[in-house]
Amino acid sequence: MAKDLQSKREQEKRMVSEMILLYCRKNHHTQRLCSNCQNLLDYTVERSNKCPFMETKTFCSACKVHCYQPEMREKIRQVMRFSGPRMLFHHPVMAIRHFIETRKEKRKNGA
């Protein structure tokens, strides 16, 4: 179970990392993360590493407890809004897996 939890955590961190990188490349015209986007990535990784609900949640957006500071929450929301639709073209397998897991979670919660 610990291995599954660790792989789930790593998968979430990889997904958010790719989304932030895509956002930064397209909006800040960089090849690597700018300092603001790197700070956001570091923050999200820290939150993921400390998440006590990792075992039961699918993604942070589906979590009942929002541990992000309001400013960082807004930044990651902007990244997700921008990168989400574009992930299908840049990382199709990852995007489809994310979509399927999100749909499963919504059905499970009756939404």
Side-chain angles (χ1 to χ4, degrees), residues 95-109:
I96 291 168
R97 183 181 301 132
H98 181 78
F99 176 77
I100 291 169
E101 289 177 23
T102 301
R103 298 287 292 179
K104 281 182 190 176
E105 182 69 19
K106 284 182 180 178
R107 276 192 221 123
K108 186 173 97 178
N109 292 333

Side-chain angles (χ1 to χ4, degrees), residues 48-66:
S48 181
N49 287 337
K50 293 181 178 181
C51 180
F53 305 107
M54 186 60 70
E55 216 170 296
T56 57
K57 74 174 179 120
T58 49
F59 303 103
C60 292
S61 60
C63 192
K64 290 173 176 54
V65 176
H66 295 293

Side-chain angles (χ1 to χ4, degrees), residues 12-44:
E12 182 176 295
K13 288 191 277 191
R14 181 166 180 250
M15 178 70 148
V16 78
S17 173
E18 292 295 337
M19 292 180 91
I20 292 172
L21 183 59
L22 176 60
Y23 177 86
C24 192
R25 265 194 239 134
K26 300 292 183 180
N27 288 282
H28 303 145
H29 311 290
T30 62
Q31 289 303 312
R32 304 165 97 195
L33 291 177
C34 69
S35 61
N36 287 336
C37 290
Q38 183 63 54
N39 289 339
L40 179 60
L41 177 59
D42 293 343
Y43 184 82
T44 60

